[in-house]
Amino acid sequence: MATVSANPARAEASSTARALREAVFAGIIAFGLFVLYVGLKTDQNISNELILVQRWGLLAIFVGVAMVARFIGVLYVQPFLKRRRTAKSEASDLELQPSYFRRNFSTIAIIALVLYPPLMVALFGTQGSLKWVDNFGIQILIYVMLAWGLNIVVGLAGLLDLGYVAFYAVGAYSYALLSTHLGLSFWVLLPLSGLLAAVWGMVLGFPVLRLRGDYLAIVTLAFGEIIRLVLINWTDVTQGTFGVSGVAKASIFGIYSFDVGAANNFAKVWGLPMSAAYYKIFLFYVILALALLTAFVTIRLRRMPVGRAWEALREDEIACRSLGINTVTTKLTAFATGAMFGGFAGSFFAARQGFVSPESFVFLESAVILAIVVLGGMGSLVGIAVAAVLMIGGTEILRELTFLKAVFGPDFTPELYRMLIFGLAMVVVMVLKPRGFVGSREPSAFLHERKSVSSSFTKEGHG
Amino acid sequence: MASAPTTKAAAGAAAQDPILKVEHLSMRFGGLMAINDLSFECRRGDITALIGPNGAGKTTVFNCITGFYKPTMGMMTLRQKGGQDYLLERLADFEITKRAKVARTFQNIRLFTGLTVLENLLVAQHNALMRASGYTILGLFGFPAYRKASKESIELARYWLDKASLTERADDPAGDLPYGAQRRLEIARAMCTGPELLCLDEPAAGLNPRESLALNTLLQGIRADTGTSILLIEHDMSVVMEISDHVVVLEYGQKISDGTPDFVKNDPKVIAAYLGVEDDEVEEVIAEVEEVAHEVEGGQK
């Protein structure tokens, strides 16, 4: 009896010791990582001199958080995960029926999105809903749409494109310039800017078709930068870094306008108090419709020969050619289709901001969009949408976390740690789910029953 | 595309007209002459085997025929049933499958492992489905013509799945199939392009005796049901001797023998190439080969 009861006790003691040891290691690593970034800070004093601010307290909190987290992780979370994994593998022979929520996730999500603006108005009032509809709703949906557009190029066709933001810029500038110079409306310019972006997609796609893998990635990255530099330097047309301001707002198909002075102003016609919220709510529904259009077209295309050819191209290009598929046109259509949706999103962005400048189209944007696609699971629309909500919503929510000031002191601004958390989240997801949130692939056709394809069989593509 | 299984051209009645005529084909890689002035013919409806020791240039010949290499010299003429001629050396690789109707498989299997077995066969019908979907535009708006074509494409896939006895596994990823089944799937996929000439690069490599028997049945079934001519590279003599009507033997990029399986089997040059010869016979054999080479040259002039 004594030995039986002693063993678990000793095991527990040894695991506590191990957790302590791991916590100390984590503390040392955290100290090494943060000592220069958090512990020391350069600042300017009143007489414009550079001074070194020492923040040892903040550093101690960071190291402390890392140690505690590691301790809890090793002692409680790891055994819990292990238990759950064994329980899962034992239960695997049982018929696992996905829950109702899981099965109808897309429908529920779409209904929730349609109801989102009225709900926010009900909760926070007309003016208070502005932040939730604009900063969260519209911002996230723009990235969802961009990521779904890039998904066609990267996720389906397997062509690594690091310059996707170029097409976003083409769309935004097409709308901004054509509407200010020619006075065309949003609804005319939306398809036009998509078309222009698609043409640019082909123009840029054509010379890089012979490149594969890393080489393709580098060249697309360069093209993205070239477009941005052209926008900065071609000042006669784009007004350089000053950007194009006073871009016309979108209207409800010309029936109601959102310009304050117009006779058919939406709020005026309906006798509502003046507020910017109506325009934002309208824009929310526009971008929702555009994003759903992207999803619809992607789903449709996947079941068509061209969509299958994209996926086949990702799997094996030589086999594609042996089956009589023209890989040049197939790649170009992937580039053009992806660019078109980038262009739609771009013209929407210009209408929403009322201002475009090259600042908005830096490489970091391409990287964020690509990160969303990879995190979501390449090729999976639901996974990508979830990843966009987490990444963009997560960075936006940092602004709201004012209570953290109570922990880290009044000088603490959570937004500044955006990139740190971003990187951490990436590492965690890649360790736990290397193929993204949704790693499996839904087949486009089936004979007997639809079975999703495990990620161990699909390839990422080589260019 | 859909007509391929239904045209039951009688193989036996096939005229002695060649489907593929290879003339003076040469392929040089830098200083290496991989194929040196090779000429042979494949007759319509026949199973032609291309054999030879390792490094003889068999796969290079294949890559030239299917457009993956551009030959240094030579002419390859493919004559379709309708009488149109295609000069294969002038077509891009995908056009050889699309227009000249030559399909191929690979020595190291190249399936779309992440797509299901059925999807693999649907990708093979790309060009026919592309036309039916109005180059995507009509299909995107759900025109009935595309839906009909899509149904037909699944029927054609089902036909070849049955032939390759893969119907049970239709919805599994292609990468999940056992090796022998992957070989059969690759052949079925090539057949879904509706070819007139099917080129198989070592279809029996790595198969056990039972699987290679099943392969023989599949190939003979293909020829009997669709009248497709087959050109194959093979090391497995049980397959070659069993099913081929005509054998071409290569060594060091040159043709050393050409004829029926029985003729080739007893040809001393072939035996020498495969088994080697005794030291004292070497000169004799060299003289013989040179003599043949002169004859060939003389014949050309």
Side-chain angles (χ1 to χ4, degrees):
Chain A
M1 269 313 263
T3 50
V4 173
S5 62
N7 273 344
R10 196 185 302 154
E12 201 169 287
S14 77
S15 69
T16 312
R18 194 170 67 91
L20 272 175
R21 209 166 45 238
E22 296 259 333
V24 170
F25 282 135
I28 293 168
I29 291 170
F31 178 81
L33 272 176
F34 293 125
V35 64
L36 290 176
Y37 296 111
V38 179
L40 301 173
K41 186 183 161 208
T42 52
D43 228 336
Q44 277 178 327
N45 64 7
I46 297 163
S47 49
N48 257 350
E49 288 166 334
L50 210 58
I51 52 161
L52 202 60
V53 183
Q54 302 184 3
R55 302 189 291 183
W56 300 120
L58 193 62
L59 179 63
I61 292 172
F62 267 78
V63 173
V65 167
M67 288 177 74
V68 170
R70 185 71 190 158
F71 184 76
I72 292 172
V74 172
L75 200 57
Y76 300 109
V77 179
Q78 278 181 0
F80 170 73
L81 287 178
K82 202 185 256 174
R83 269 203 306 280
R84 210 181 62 168
R85 205 173 307 140
T86 50
K88 211 180 212 176
S89 64
E90 275 162 15
S92 65
D93 9 322
L94 290 167
E95 198 64 33
L96 280 172
Q97 200 51 263
S99 67
Y100 179 80
F101 179 73
R102 267 251 163 110
R103 270 178 291 140
N104 299 296
F105 181 78
S106 315
T107 325
I108 294 171
I110 291 168
I111 291 170
L113 280 171
V114 170
L115 295 178
Y116 179 75
L119 191 71
M120 287 301 124
V121 172
L123 282 177
F124 302 101
T126 318
Q127 206 59 33
S129 69
L130 203 63
K131 182 178 78 185
W132 294 99
V133 173
D134 191 22
N135 289 4
F136 284 87
I138 295 178
Q139 186 76 1
I140 291 172
L141 282 176
I142 287 180
Y143 278 93
V144 168
M145 181 169 176
L146 284 171
W148 279 349
L150 183 61
N151 173 48
I152 292 173
V153 187
V154 178
L156 295 185
L159 304 162
L160 185 54
D161 184 354
L162 291 181
Y164 188 65
V165 81
F167 307 124
Y168 188 40
V170 168
Y173 270 87
S174 310
Y175 177 62
L177 294 175
L178 292 178
S179 81
T180 38
H181 292 300
L182 304 180
L184 295 173
S185 86
F186 177 73
W187 297 106
V188 174
L189 288 176
L190 180 73
L192 197 63
S193 45
L195 215 63
L196 282 171
V199 169
W200 272 107
M202 296 244 241
V203 169
L204 297 191
F206 203 73
V208 302
L209 280 172
R210 297 170 62 89
L211 304 175
R212 311 185 66 184
D214 307 351
Y215 300 96
L216 178 80
I218 295 291
V219 173
T220 52
L221 170 70
F223 274 131
E225 287 301 289
I226 287 170
I227 294 237
R228 194 172 64 87
L229 290 175
V230 167
L231 291 179
I232 290 176
N233 291 303
W234 196 9
T235 41
D236 297 342
V237 177
T238 64
Q239 291 161 45
T241 45
F242 295 112
V244 183
S245 53
V247 180
K249 285 179 175 174
S251 66
I252 308 182
F253 305 108
I255 301 167
Y256 300 114
S257 155
F258 290 99
D259 290 324
V260 183
N264 58 349
N265 182 293
F266 180 79
K268 238 185 254 174
V269 171
W270 291 93
L272 296 164
M274 277 294 175
S275 166
Y278 307 125
Y279 184 49
K280 297 298 179 191
I281 291 171
F282 164 67
L283 286 182
F284 180 88
Y285 285 117
V286 171
I287 187 69
L288 182 62
L290 284 174
L292 290 180
L293 176 78
T294 315
F296 175 76
V297 170
T298 309
I299 292 168
R300 259 284 160 86
L301 284 180
R302 273 200 62 208
R303 293 189 198 139
M304 306 242 304
V306 68
R308 291 207 192 99
W310 288 339
E311 291 203 76
L313 200 64
R314 178 192 67 203
E315 300 289 323
D316 194 326
E317 188 177 335
I318 289 175
C320 268
R321 284 191 277 153
S322 86
L323 296 175
I325 295 174
N326 186 344
T327 51
V328 172
T329 52
T330 308
K331 280 183 183 180
L332 277 182
T333 49
F335 259 110
T337 315
M340 182 179 75
F341 289 117
F344 286 154
S347 71
F348 173 83
F349 173 78
R352 173 219 186 194
Q353 299 290 90
F355 170 72
V356 287
S357 83
E359 292 280 285
S360 313
F361 309 109
V362 290
F363 169 65
L364 186 68
E365 293 294 311
S366 292
V368 168
I369 301 164
L370 186 65
I372 291 172
V373 174
V374 173
L375 277 185
M378 294 209 286
S380 153
L381 294 180
V382 173
I384 288 169
V386 171
V389 170
L390 288 182
M391 298 251 304
I392 306 304
T395 52
E396 288 295 321
I397 210 114
L398 279 178
R399 291 183 220 280
E400 309 299 319
L401 301 178
T402 39
F403 70 88
L404 283 177
K405 284 195 195 324
V407 184
F408 293 101
D411 294 338
F412 187 78
T413 36
E415 299 98 282
L416 295 183
Y417 294 90
R418 198 165 75 105
M419 283 297 137
L420 188 72
I421 293 169
F422 202 79
L424 196 70
M426 282 287 257
V427 171
V428 168
V429 173
M430 287 296 115
V431 167
L432 296 180
K433 291 219 148 212
R435 282 305 188 99
F437 294 140
V438 181
S440 59
R441 170 183 173 276
E442 286 300 312
S444 63
F446 62 96
L447 210 57
H448 312 296
E449 57 167 330
R450 190 178 288 277
K451 291 189 241 177
S452 54
V453 176
S454 151
S455 61
S456 52
F457 297 112
T458 52
K459 297 197 176 107
E460 297 97 340
H462 302 283
Chain B
M1 164 214 90
S3 64
T6 47
T7 48
K8 305 227 170 193
Q16 292 301 300
D17 65 327
I19 181 161
L20 177 72
K21 223 194 272 176
V22 174
E23 291 158 286
H24 307 297
L25 182 71
S26 294
M27 180 79 211
R28 188 196 292 275
F29 295 106
L32 176 76
M33 204 71 171
I35 310 169
N36 190 3
D37 196 25
L38 173 71
S39 303
F40 69 94
E41 280 180 6
C42 300
R43 285 191 300 272
R44 190 178 304 283
D46 268 8
I47 297 181
T48 308
L50 196 58
I51 65 171
N54 287 329
K58 305 180 295 290
T59 300
T60 310
V61 172
F62 253 50
N63 284 341
C64 287
I65 292 172
T66 53
F68 282 78
Y69 292 158
K70 285 283 158 251
T72 318
M73 251 187 291
M75 189 159 97
M76 297 170 291
T77 321
L78 186 116
R79 173 162 293 176
Q80 284 185 353
K81 273 191 215 101
Q84 306 101 304
D85 281 339
Y86 290 90
L87 292 174
L88 299 184
E89 72 275 8
R90 296 196 184 165
L91 293 176
D93 47 13
F94 73 92
E95 283 180 320
I96 287 180
T97 309
K98 190 178 170 182
R99 294 176 48 210
K101 304 237 168 282
V102 178
R104 75 167 291 177
T105 65
F106 295 87
Q107 194 171 352
N108 45 345
I109 306 173
R110 283 184 173 277
L111 288 173
F112 306 121
T113 52
L115 309 189
T116 64
V117 171
L118 179 69
E119 283 178 303
N120 267 274
L121 299 187
L122 294 181
V123 170
Q125 302 172 46
H126 179 80
N127 289 315
L129 284 175
M130 243 357 212
R131 272 192 301 279
S133 70
Y135 295 90
T136 311
I137 295 155
L138 299 183
L140 200 57
F141 295 107
F143 272 68
Y146 173 65
R147 253 178 287 161
K148 187 162 157 279
S150 167
K151 243 181 233 134
E152 280 171 5
S153 73
I154 289 182
E155 282 314 307
L156 182 67
R158 194 198 291 272
Y159 174 86
W160 284 112
L161 283 173
D162 281 339
K163 286 274 164 197
S165 44
L166 288 168
T167 317
E168 294 296 304
R169 309 285 316 254
D171 298 319
D172 289 329
D176 203 15
L177 296 182
Y179 193 80
Q182 291 196 2
R183 283 262 175 228
R184 291 202 303 277
L185 175 59
E186 208 188 14
I187 294 170
R189 187 181 68 178
M191 285 312 293
C192 276
T193 62
E196 295 210 2
L197 176 67
L198 177 65
C199 300
L200 305 171
D201 198 345
E202 298 204 21
L207 300 190
N208 64 33
R210 186 141 42 92
E211 285 171 329
S212 78
L213 201 66
L215 177 81
N216 285 358
T217 326
L218 175 63
L219 294 185
Q220 274 166 336
I222 286 174
R223 181 174 60 163
D225 294 345
T226 67
T228 309
S229 320
I230 298 173
L231 172 64
L232 61 90
I233 293 178
E234 194 44 75
H235 278 302
D236 187 337
M237 285 304 144
S238 71
V239 173
V240 173
M241 296 304 158
E242 181 77 19
I243 64 169
S244 51
D245 306 298
H246 174 200
V247 179
V248 177
V249 191
L250 288 187
E251 194 191 16
Y252 299 119
Q254 277 172 318
K255 188 166 82 175
I256 56 170
S257 187
D258 184 349
T260 62
D262 281 328
F263 170 77
V264 165
K265 206 168 10 179
N266 301 317
D267 190 332
K269 284 195 291 294
V270 177
I271 295 166
Y274 268 91
L275 300 177
V277 287
E278 298 289 332
D279 283 348
D280 50 335
E281 289 174 34
V282 168
E283 297 205 336
E284 202 179 302
V285 172
I286 289 174
E288 213 169 84
V289 169
E290 276 175 355
E291 200 180 302
V292 173
H294 278 298
E295 272 172 29
V296 170
E297 268 172 30
Q300 281 160 15
K301 278 167 194 166

